[in-house]
Amino acid sequence: MPEALFYHLTAHPLERALPDLLERTLAKGWRAVVRCSSAERMEALDTHLWTYRDESFLPHARTGCPAPERQPIYLTTGNEIPNKADALFLVDAADTDDFSGFERVVILFAGDDDAALSMARAQWKRAAASVKATYWQQDGGRWTKARESTPPS
């Protein structure tokens, strides 16, 4: 059964949190799709994932690249999943109604954005009705599980 993980970004921005979560995903041997709500955000993340740390990078490609099916991380603004991803990451109010086909759907949202908080609440209600959902908040530099919901059987 898929699982939805909600990450409430309060201490660190998306650019700091996302690479760590993607590294954990790849360490499991999984593939990921990062769905962005705009082409500008996708382009910024594309650059960031190559340069976020001097000694490391995250192998990835974005919409329009050759051989998207071979990419461990695929960035998009659309609904395509060409790399048979195990994890779907939703950033900047990107959304989905379909959790099937994934081990995890990860929703990252900014804690200082009222529209993002409102959308995350709506996403939580939809997710909690059909899959296990966990809510994580930043406690300094660490993530703390603050809430868990198991769907009705």
Side-chain angles (χ1 to χ4, degrees), residues 92-95 107-123:
D92 290 341
D95 203 3
I107 299 100
L108 295 111
F109 59 99
D112 61 352
D113 181 338
D114 289 338
L117 291 171
S118 179
M119 181 158 188
R121 286 184 190 105
Q123 289 171 314

Side-chain angles (χ1 to χ4, degrees), residues 48-98:
H48 182 67
L49 294 179
W50 290 117
T51 61
Y52 75 99
R53 191 180 304 148
D54 287 340
E55 70 279 359
S56 182
F57 69 93
L58 285 163
H60 69 280
R62 65 182 185 158
T63 300
C65 74
E69 69 281 356
R70 295 189 347 210
Q71 302 304 321
I73 299 170
Y74 181 77
L75 307 175
T76 184
T77 58
N79 294 324
E80 73 274 14
I81 313 290
N83 64 348
K84 298 182 177 141
D86 304 283
L88 173 63
F89 287 77
L90 302 173
V91 301
D92 290 341
D95 203 3
T96 188
D97 286 327
D98 186 8

